[in-house]
């Protein structure tokens, strides 16, 4: 029996006939099932959009008369009944991939720790790709029936709201989440009291309350410290993502790692595998070692036991990008831990010590690597980079023999595939194609789809994007805070059917958001070719402390505002998952320009590919594995250039030349019935080769077979 209760708040007044809408609102199954979303949108589409597709806020605000009308609408009730049958069948299924493939492991448990989880825009507690990947991992684990439990934070202020000033500077502001209007469930103990967990920090104890998110069949537990019993500073530990204050960060990571282990134990979970998504949660290894030491083992024996069941995934190919703390800060926050482990200070520091140009630091991935048997990067090239980067931990081995493997990232197809494209696949690939999406054979029937049908879907998705951007511009204009130039910069003049390129991601310097602007006169000729115009839509945020990243946004925005572009350069502010779906579904080309080899994997291009969008990218991360010469285009060569400025020049030349000579002419080359037949052939090749290879279904199965299975079948603790 679990040591906790999840009581869905009874805060809605719903007609009895559709009363289970309240239950569905608290299970994110609806996020990746269009019929589930339709149950809310069909009641009041305008309100559904206003609340950013948040079903809890929606049901609290929707007019009762509209709910009554829905409960008496025969067509609505047919959709409702079918959706609830599908939901019940999904939740009750016993013959999942996991249970049929690993019947002897059905009672095992896998813990998955991450600093952020990007599940949906209604839960804005994610910053970017790391969180989206974690959210996709849980969704796919649910679909596969895997026994995973997630652990992270719920942040009072989410990430941040981005506003772009008239001169292009990113301004940030906070917003405060109302947990009562979010699809999160308060966790209580068996007596109905709030479920809490505590950790010791210097001179005080910090308590965190637990909340739960139901992700299909998976439970995700999120900690929050905004409690009266904590001091004001500690109440802010879970206020927002990625604090720049190292004391806040180390306290957060102690809470996530050590507090997270205690939370799962208190809830009644006994995981047999512990997966750390990046180094933020690496302190969990210390907490697990403490458990063994308290049972009478030496630290060396405890560490050996801990390693058997720990899995660590690194996402960062740059040493400076990994979480690290000065040794004095580790002294301050963890000096009580090493005596409990039976270690000297020096031996403890050695667990995470790395010598940097600026001195010695305690590096979280070093701790995770030392205390994990399963270790992986997130693409083939990133695996190579990681083995070189961490070679010093295995000084007796050559880099290629360093025991760090790779599992290339994937994306959760049901979450990002456009509904109209899904219906087309249902028609031609077979009704059960989604259960076989990771099998290349599933996609051989793509050729059966008539060119005019798949192109009609693409035109529909382009119209949806144009309408979305048009409404985005209208709202900026109505806000009264923007100049006409800013409204035009937000896409008011976007053309629906012109060749449209998307560039949306975090604005870090290595992603080179400026590359397409480096020869502006040449770019203007592409944009303003009357017969073959080109449009580029930019979107993305820079970390609030990343001044160089904000300068790149400013550089892009000033180019966007240049009247010579004719409105064909666009910048959309406040990028989130909702905007991302419109972009990856609606543009024609997805452009990615990282400075190789700094892109560990990337996933946005995978989402674009499944929707028939063609990738145009540097051969870094996932695209180096996905590109075959016929399913998109490359920028530059499959080689590293030590000189960054030289690489910029070479890649910019490749970018412009490929656009001028290949991409633009191909898009506008039409048959007698106005179909770009060669473009459509390339689209089909892209979907056929990329959709199965870069799905989370393939990815999570690889994690299971390569990393979870050894942990689950080792000595259980």
């Amino acid at each position: 029996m679990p040591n906790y209760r999840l009581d869905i708040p009874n805060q809605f007044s719903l007609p009895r006939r559709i009363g289970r809408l309240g239950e569905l609102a608290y299970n994110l199954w609806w996020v990746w099932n269009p019929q589930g979303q339709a149950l809310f949108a069909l009641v009041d589409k305008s309100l559904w959009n206003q609340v950013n597709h948040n079903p809890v806020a929606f049901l609290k605000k929707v007019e009762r008369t509209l709910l009554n009308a829905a409960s008496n609408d025969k067509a609505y009730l047919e959709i409702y009944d079918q959706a609830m049958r599908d939901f019940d069948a999904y939740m009750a299924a016993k013959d999942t991939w996991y249970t049929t493939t690993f019947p002897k492991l059905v009672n095992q448990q896998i813990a998955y720790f991450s600093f952020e989880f990007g599940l949906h825009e209604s839960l804005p507690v994610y910053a970017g790709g790391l969180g989206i990947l974690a959210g996709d991992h849980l969704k796919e684990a649910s679909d596969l029936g895997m026994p995973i439990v997630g652990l992270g934070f719920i942040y009072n202020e989410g990430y941040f709201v981005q506003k772009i000033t008239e001169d292009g500077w990113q301004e940030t502001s906070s917003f405060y989440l109302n947990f009562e209007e979010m699809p999160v469930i308060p966790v209580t103990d068996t007596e109905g009291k709030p479920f809490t967990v505590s950790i010791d920090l210097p001179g005080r104890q910090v308590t965190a309350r637990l909340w739960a998110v139901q992700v299909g069949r998976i439970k995700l537990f999120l900690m929050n410290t905004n409690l009266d019993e904590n001091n004001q500073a500690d109440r802010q530990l879970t206020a927002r993502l990625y604090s720049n204050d190292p004391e806040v960060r180390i306290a957060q990571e102690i809470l996530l790692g050590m507090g997270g282990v205690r939370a799962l134990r208190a809830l009644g979970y006994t995981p047999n595998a512990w997966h750390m998504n990046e180094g933020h949660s690496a302190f969990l290894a210390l907490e697990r070692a403490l458990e063994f030491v308290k049972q009478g083992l030496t630290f060396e024996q405890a560490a050996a036991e801990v390693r058997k069941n720990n899995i660590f995934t690194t996402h960062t190919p740059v040493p400076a990008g990994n979480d690290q703390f000065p040794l004095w800060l580790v002294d301050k926050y963890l000096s009580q831990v090493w005596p409990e482990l039976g270690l000297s200070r020096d031996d403890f520091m050695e667990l995470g010590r790395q010598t940097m140009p600026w001195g010695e630091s305690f590096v979280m991935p070093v701790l995770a690597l030392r205390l994990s048997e399963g270790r992986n990067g997130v693409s083939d090239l990133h695996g190579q980079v990681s083995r070189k980067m961490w070679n010093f931990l295995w000084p007796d081995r050559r880099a290629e023999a360093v025991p760090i493997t790779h599992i290339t990232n994937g994306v959760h197809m049901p979450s990002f595939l456009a509904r109209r494209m899904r219906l087309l696949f249902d028609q031609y690939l077979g009704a059960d194609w989604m259960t076989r999406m990771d099998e290349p054979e599933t996609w051989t029937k793509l050729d059966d789809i008539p060119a005019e049908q798949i192109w009609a879907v693409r035109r529909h998705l382009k119209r949806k994007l144009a309408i979305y951007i048009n409404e985005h511009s209208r709202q900026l204009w109505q806000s009264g805070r923007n100049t006409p130039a800013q409204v035009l910069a937000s896409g008011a003049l976007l053309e629906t059917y012109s060749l449209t390129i998307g560039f949306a991601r975090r604005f870090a310097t290595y992603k080179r958001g400026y590359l397409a602007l480096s020869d502006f006169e040449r770019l203007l000729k592409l944009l303003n070719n009357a017969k073959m115009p080109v449009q580029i839509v930019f979107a993305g945020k820079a970390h609030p402390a990343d001044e160089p990243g904000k300068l790149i946004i400013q550089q892009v925005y000033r180019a966007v505002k240049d009247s010579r572009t004719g409105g064909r350069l666009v910048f959309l502010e406040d990028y989130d998952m909702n905007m991302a779906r419109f972009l990856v579904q609606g543009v024609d080309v997805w452009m990615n320009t990282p400075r190789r080899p700094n892109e560990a994997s990337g996933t946005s291009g995978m989402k674009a590919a499944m929707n028939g969008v063609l990738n145009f990218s540097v051969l870094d991360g996932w695209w180096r594995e996905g590109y075959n010469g016929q399913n998109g285009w490359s920028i530059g060569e499959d080689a590293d250039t030590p000189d960054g400025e030289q690489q910029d020049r070479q890649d910019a030349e490749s970018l412009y030349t490929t656009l001028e000579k290949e991409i633009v002419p191909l898009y506008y080359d039409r048959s007698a019935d106005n179909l770009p037949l060669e473009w459509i052939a390339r689209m089909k090749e892209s979907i056929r080769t990329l959709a199965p290879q870069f799905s989370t279904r393939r990815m999570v199965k690889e994690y299971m077979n390569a990393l979870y299975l050894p942990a689950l079948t080792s000595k259980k603790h």
Side-chain angles (χ1 to χ4, degrees), residues 3 14 16 55 113 115 195 240 285 311 453 465 556 599 686:
N3 300 332
L14 299 171
R16 185 184 300 272
F113 282 57
F115 209 59
F195 202 107
R240 65 190 67 86
I311 296 107
Q453 287 194 29
L465 175 63
V556 170
E599 183 92 304
S686 172

Side-chain angles (χ1 to χ4, degrees), residues 310-328:
N310 275 0
I311 296 107
F312 170 59
T313 300
T314 173
H315 296 262
T316 311
V318 182
N322 289 285
D323 270 12
Q324 55 193 277
F325 302 107
L327 300 190
W328 67 264

